[in-house]
Amino acid sequence: MTHFLTKASLAALLALCSIPATVSTAAAAGPQTGLVVEAQYYHRPPVRGCSPVHAVRKARYFGLHRAHITRMSPRVVVVAGRDRRGWDRITFANVRGCPLIRR
């Protein structure tokens, strides 16, 4: 019985001594400073209409080469460029997502 009590008390003593060591290790892994560069996130305002960049990208995806914006109004965005047959233009609605109106 004395061996059991000796081993149990030694195990309890080791367990109590190891608790402060693990807490200090976890605290050391907290916020780091120095050479670590934290990522900065900026709030972007939501896109309300069809952005010109998005309209030109979409027109290029539809097969228009040398695409550029020829007209932009509150309702439509017109992108002109060349395709296989010659000059062509694509009309997009000036709302979010730039849906195709006319080709």
Side-chain angles (χ1 to χ4, degrees), residues 21-102:
T22 57
V23 172
S24 64
T25 306
Q32 298 176 356
T33 58
L35 297 176
V36 178
V37 178
E38 294 182 13
Q40 295 179 355
Y41 297 101
Y42 299 101
H43 173 70
R44 291 185 180 177
V47 177
R48 303 236 181 253
C50 178
S51 72
V53 174
H54 187 63
V56 169
R57 282 184 187 165
K58 214 166 176 181
R60 286 181 181 156
Y61 178 78
F62 286 139
L64 228 53
H65 298 284
R66 296 190 333 197
H68 61 279
I69 294 187
T70 57
R71 186 169 69 110
M72 189 164 180
S73 71
R75 291 182 179 231
V76 296
V77 177
V78 180
V79 180
R82 293 188 58 91
D83 64 354
R84 296 178 282 156
R85 296 169 286 167
W87 287 100
D88 196 10
R89 66 179 181 201
I90 298 176
T91 306
F92 297 105
N94 195 0
V95 294
R96 184 174 168 218
C98 299
L100 179 68
I101 293 178
R102 181 179 320 122

